[in-house]
């Protein structure tokens, strides 16, 4: 495949507008459109749904291509910096907002590695159980469960991750055995506070068991995790959080598994920030290398 066509494709995939992509690339609108058309013809695939309202949104084939090409792009940029010596010291401050458990259990170790490479750069991590608003300047970079639907953002799919049912062994020993999804109706659960859920993708139990008997609720997934450790019930937890804890047991591992997605995005103007760009590509590559952890493998 022609790498230039792929470079144009990635730009349109991130900003969802031909005109914005052309401005970022420093070319004419018609050049970008021609490149996208050439790539679609070369692959024999339709990569974008085109709309005058929502712009260029990726088809499933386009999402697959973006997922495979962005790690290649990250490695090319890293190689360029290493060869040309452009990986000069970074200074200043970057604030990263993200979901609570992912920030605490996955990003924090990664950011420690990144900061060891750039000790003069100050990092601020906001792992919070609520959406991060870049328009209000809550952070420079955000990782969220939902892709922003509008706004001048540079956006990419960061990773998919798995969630399963977990319980403490003491709870399982003192309650009826669980051999099928139907048996879950005899058990109590731990979940989010219904009217304070900040994303519909967090309404896990509705996908697994109807009218679940929830006895403990919290806006914090880490609080839910701690309640599970205390034997208060069964919880849907990210595998990257619960699988590594030997005190917890996975319930119905062959029958219940949920998948969710993390999106990473920043304001368009931040693309000119070398520190943020370096962190962006570092996270893309590092999270990809830890996909087994996110899958609970």
């Amino acid at each position: 495949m022609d790498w230039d066509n792929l470079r144009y494709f990635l730009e349109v995939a991130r900003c969802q507008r031909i005109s914005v992509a052309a401005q970022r690339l420093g070319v004419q609108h018609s050049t970008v459109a021609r490149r996208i058309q050439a790539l679609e013809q070369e692959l024999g695939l339709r990569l974008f749904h085109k709309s005058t309202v929502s712009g260029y949104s990726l088809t499933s084939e386009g999402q697959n291509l973006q997922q495979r090409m962005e790690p290649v792009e990250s490695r090319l940029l890293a190689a360029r910096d290493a060869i040309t010596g452009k990986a000069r010291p970074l200074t200043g401050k970057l604030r990263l907002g993200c979901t609570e458990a992912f920030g605490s259990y996955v990003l924090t170790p990664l950011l420690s590695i990144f900061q060891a490479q750039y000790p003069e750069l100050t990092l601020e991590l906001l792992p919070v159980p609520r959406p991060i608003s870049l328009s209000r300047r809550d952070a420079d970079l955000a990782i969220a469960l939902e892709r922003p639907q509008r706004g001048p953002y540079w956006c990419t799919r960061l990773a998919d991750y798995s969630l399963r049912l977990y319980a403490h062994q003491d709870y399982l020993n003192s309650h009826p055995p669980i051999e099928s999804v139907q048996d879950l109706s005899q058990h109590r659960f731990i979940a989010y506070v219904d009217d304070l859920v900040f994303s519909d993708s967090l309404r896990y139990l509705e996908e697994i068991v109807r009218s679940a008997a929830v006895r403990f609720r919290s806006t914090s997934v880490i609080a839910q995790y701690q309640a599970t450790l205390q034997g208060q019930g069964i919880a849907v937890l990210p595998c990257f959080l619960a699988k590594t804890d030997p005190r917890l047991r996975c319930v119905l591992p062959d029958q219940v598994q949920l998948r969710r997605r993390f999106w990473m995005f920043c304001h368009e103007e931040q693309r000119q920030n070398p520190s943020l760009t370096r962190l962006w590509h570092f996270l893309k590559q590092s999270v990809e290398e830890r996909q087994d952890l996110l899958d609970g493998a």
Side-chain angles (χ1 to χ4, degrees):
M1 291 180 285
D2 187 324
W3 172 250
D4 274 339
N5 289 345
L6 290 166
R7 184 165 60 92
Y8 281 68
F9 160 76
L10 288 174
E11 200 64 58
V12 176
R14 289 165 182 152
C15 63
Q16 298 181 284
R17 289 287 190 278
I18 287 284
S19 57
V20 176
Q23 183 179 10
R24 291 178 176 176
L25 292 164
V27 298
Q28 296 295 318
H29 176 284
S30 58
T31 301
V32 179
R34 187 169 62 252
R35 290 282 190 173
I36 296 301
Q37 183 179 19
L39 181 60
E40 289 184 327
Q41 289 176 348
E42 182 180 13
L43 296 175
L45 297 172
R46 185 181 181 187
L47 301 175
F48 292 98
H49 298 296
K50 306 173 182 68
S51 167
T52 55
V53 177
S54 58
Y56 277 53
S57 59
L58 289 167
T59 62
S60 59
E61 292 82 2
Q63 291 175 1
N64 188 20
L65 182 63
Q66 182 187 31
Q67 176 183 347
R68 294 176 182 277
M69 287 301 106
E70 282 188 325
V72 177
E73 180 190 43
S74 294
R75 286 175 170 80
L76 284 173
L77 292 172
R80 180 198 64 186
D81 288 348
I83 293 170
T84 62
K86 290 185 177 180
R88 55 186 179 274
L90 301 180
T91 59
K93 180 179 71 174
L94 282 179
R95 177 176 291 178
L96 171 60
C98 59
T99 57
E100 187 184 22
F102 187 69
S104 299
Y105 288 85
V106 179
L107 287 187
T108 296
L110 293 180
L111 293 178
S112 297
I113 296 171
F114 184 78
Q115 197 155 36
Q117 300 175 22
Y118 306 104
E120 297 180 24
L121 181 65
T122 299
L123 296 177
E124 295 182 350
L125 179 64
L126 278 62
V128 292
R130 62 174 176 81
I132 294 292
S133 173
L134 295 189
S135 61
R136 294 197 306 265
R137 306 297 180 179
D138 289 349
D140 302 303
L141 181 67
I143 295 173
L145 293 170
E146 296 172 349
R147 178 174 185 154
Q149 296 302 307
R150 59 182 64 85
Y153 298 124
W154 182 28
C155 181
T156 186
R157 170 197 167 278
L158 182 60
D160 291 349
Y161 69 101
S162 296
L163 305 101
R164 295 182 184 273
L165 292 172
Y166 289 92
H168 194 279
Q169 187 63 57
D170 290 347
Y171 172 86
L172 296 175
N173 291 341
S174 59
H175 290 79
I178 305 172
E179 298 179 354
S180 69
V181 173
Q182 289 70 32
D183 294 334
L184 295 174
S185 60
Q186 306 175 61
H187 291 264
R188 61 175 188 256
F189 289 86
I190 298 163
Y192 283 94
V193 180
D194 270 340
D195 57 337
L196 296 177
V197 172
F198 64 86
S199 170
D200 285 339
S201 64
L202 299 177
R203 299 184 185 279
Y204 309 125
L205 283 179
E206 296 174 9
E207 300 181 30
I208 301 171
V209 57
R210 293 183 179 180
S211 304
V214 180
R215 294 293 179 261
F216 181 86
R217 296 183 183 272
S218 175
T219 57
S220 165
V221 67
I222 294 179
Q224 295 176 39
Y225 165 61
Q226 291 295 333
T228 309
L229 289 176
Q230 301 304 313
Q232 292 199 42
I234 304 171
V236 179
L237 297 172
C239 294
F240 64 77
L241 171 63
K243 183 177 175 60
T244 57
D245 193 324
R247 296 170 292 180
L248 296 180
R249 298 289 179 268
C250 188
V251 177
L252 301 177
D254 297 328
Q255 299 180 48
V256 178
Q257 180 180 11
L258 303 177
R259 295 285 285 178
R260 294 295 186 266
R261 176 167 295 175
F262 287 124
W263 295 93
M264 181 166 65
F265 53 97
C266 68
H267 200 277
E268 179 185 336
E269 65 188 30
Q270 287 282 15
R271 289 199 64 185
Q272 307 306 316
N273 183 335
S275 298
L276 187 141
T277 302
R278 198 74 56 79
L279 177 60
W280 177 286
H281 291 294
F282 170 81
L283 291 177
K284 279 288 295 181
Q285 181 174 344
S286 299
V287 171
E288 178 199 5
E289 292 170 352
R290 289 157 178 79
Q291 189 60 56
D292 284 350
L293 172 65
L294 299 179
D295 289 337

